[in-house]
Amino acid sequence: LEHLKELEREKRILFAGPLFQDDGKTPCGSLVLFEAPDLDQARAHCANDPYVLEGVFGSWECRPVAQVFPGNS
């Protein structure tokens, strides 16, 4: 989790937590939703995650999203 401290200090993490199987108990991954200047920088951050570098995660994805709810009004 140390890898996320910089994002946390910069208040760029919107959500982070584990993913579970349907039983709600068995871990099956993680989700980190964070703000980045662009997709290349977001992917570079993900690629340098220690869990990625050490092979803890069998795979990972980094995708752009758009916030719809709650609205920004």
Side-chain angles (χ1 to χ4, degrees):
L1 298 176
E2 189 64 33
H3 183 65
L4 299 176
K5 295 290 184 182
E6 179 181 352
L7 293 176
E8 183 180 40
R9 278 191 304 277
E10 296 172 355
K11 300 185 185 324
R12 293 172 38 201
I13 296 178
L14 305 175
F15 175 89
L19 299 172
F20 296 100
Q21 298 289 348
D22 290 345
D23 64 10
K25 297 176 184 174
T26 307
C28 64
S30 297
L31 174 68
V32 180
L33 183 60
F34 66 96
E35 296 175 331
D38 58 49
L39 187 55
D40 287 338
Q41 289 184 46
R43 287 187 170 147
H45 184 83
C46 294
N48 286 304
D49 185 295
Y51 284 2
V52 171
L53 295 174
E54 295 297 324
V56 174
F57 294 145
S59 65
W60 61 274
E61 295 182 40
C62 183
R63 300 192 177 264
V65 299
Q67 181 177 340
V68 176
F69 291 102
N72 293 325
S73 54

